[in-house]
Amino acid sequence: MTDEYAVIGNPIEHSKSPQIHAAFARQTGQDIHYGFLLGDLEEFEADVDQFVANGGRGLNVTVPFKERAFRYADTLSGRAREAGAVNTLTFSDGGVHGDNTDGAGLVRDLTCNHRFQIEGARVLLLGAGGAVRGALRPLLDERPAALVIANRTADKALSLAAASAARGAVIGCGLDDLVGREFDLIINGTAAGLAAKVPAIPDECLADGGWTYDMLYASEPTAFVSWGRAHGAVRALDGLGMLVEQAAESFLLWRGVMPETASVIAALRTA
Ligand code: ATR
């Protein structure tokens, strides 16, 4: 019997997840169907209940429901607990398990697809919302020389850094505090790009030979990809690879097999 999966969000119609998981299923011979669900802003939990009652096996969860999925789950992975957000729900007789594959997807894209060595690098993470919370632990696990979280509202970055201090060399600050500092990798996890803006960071904070990474993806270069190019980034990457890699991590959780991602990223890039 075909197993049912879907992505739930609001809005959802532009999601590429159904296409990505269909490619994974074809490639690995898994008998699944993956659709999309427009979640009701008031009745998200009822929508998930219904999906489960219809025999659904798993959901990916996207904006704006990741915190609600976190509360919906009966059990949580360590990385979901630290992120305070869930992007992958698995339904089984054992109940509802919540995980978060976003940060692992980011790290896999950087280290496996692009061969960027995070270990020993000075990394700047911009923002302090859900996207950054999800990325923190997987980034710290790679043992960067320093990880600075900088946010428009400095207090939020300070508390995030304080909460992760036991995991590695991490500090939080405001965007103004970046003057005079240099980084080998700058990751944009803010929502500024949704308004075609970039966070107000100093022009000089990208080191010679440095890379930039925007967690956002769009068919045109994002505002932060353009910032990276204009400021001499060796590579100015967008979040397409992260999108496919977080999907692959979810597929692995659900089906026990890791799909090959390069061809899927390439197909989406040319589409
Ligand atoms: P998400 O869950 O997608 O990360 P969020 O929790 O709303 O979204 O967080 C959005 C992040 O983008 C925040 O860090 C926000 O900064 P503030 O905490 O100061 O609000 C950041 N952000 C949004 N617009 C921005 C802009 N124009 N410049 C800089 N940072 C911005």
Side-chain angles (χ1 to χ4, degrees):
M1 207 181 80
T2 304
D3 291 332
E4 283 292 329
Y5 297 86
V7 58
I8 184 166
N10 189 331
I12 199 62
E13 58 276 9
H14 298 302
S15 171
K16 296 197 183 306
S17 293
Q19 215 179 318
I20 294 169
H21 281 273
F24 291 165
R26 270 196 306 277
Q27 185 202 111
T28 58
Q30 293 283 313
D31 186 11
I32 72 161
H33 173 259
Y34 187 111
F36 57 81
L37 278 180
L38 177 65
D40 187 289
L41 294 176
E42 307 293 324
E43 305 282 345
F44 164 79
E45 293 75 13
D47 289 341
V48 179
D49 288 346
Q50 188 61 53
F51 182 78
V52 178
N54 292 340
R57 301 285 301 270
L59 282 174
N60 280 133
V61 182
T62 186
V63 179
F65 298 127
K66 290 185 188 182
E67 282 82 12
R68 282 165 78 172
F70 176 85
R71 292 193 294 273
Y72 186 94
D74 302 321
T75 56
L76 293 164
S77 67
R79 57 191 182 179
R81 198 172 295 114
E82 286 184 32
V86 156
N87 81 331
T88 309
L89 289 170
T90 306
F91 311 114
S92 66
D93 295 341
V96 180
H97 183 67
D99 203 338
N100 190 316
T101 65
D102 287 331
L106 167 73
V107 165
R108 275 184 59 88
D109 190 38
L110 274 163
T111 58
C112 302
N113 297 337
H114 298 289
R115 306 270 163 219
F116 183 90
Q117 192 176 333
I118 298 171
E119 184 175 358
R122 297 162 296 174
V123 179
L124 171 61
L125 191 49
L126 297 169
V132 163
R133 279 203 312 274
L136 258 181
R137 173 179 168 166
L139 281 172
L140 283 170
D141 285 349
E142 295 294 308
R143 304 193 307 140
L147 180 61
V148 174
I149 309 167
N151 193 42
R152 185 173 60 179
T153 311
D155 282 356
K156 288 195 214 166
L158 287 164
S159 17
L160 262 190
S164 299
R167 287 207 167 267
V170 55
I171 62 166
C173 64
L175 300 177
D176 294 344
D177 303 316
L178 295 171
V179 174
R181 297 201 64 143
E182 278 197 340
F183 299 92
D184 305 305
L185 172 65
I186 304 180
I187 301 170
N188 179 31
T190 74
L194 298 175
K197 293 191 170 142
V198 291
I201 57 174
D203 283 338
E204 308 76 28
C205 66
L206 186 66
D208 278 350
W211 291 34
T212 61
Y213 194 104
D214 195 352
M215 290 199 209
L216 214 63
Y217 156 73
S219 46
E220 300 299 315
T222 65
F224 195 68
V225 165
S226 301
W227 187 94
R229 288 178 183 167
H231 289 78
V234 169
R235 303 288 304 276
L237 302 167
D238 70 13
L240 180 65
M242 175 180 174
L243 176 74
V244 175
E245 294 298 343
Q246 61 79 30
E249 292 277 335
S250 296
F251 194 88
L252 172 66
L253 285 172
W254 289 331
R255 309 303 299 183
V257 42
M258 188 68 182
E260 177 276 320
T261 52
S263 64
V264 180
I265 296 171
L268 285 172
R269 186 69 75 189
T270 50

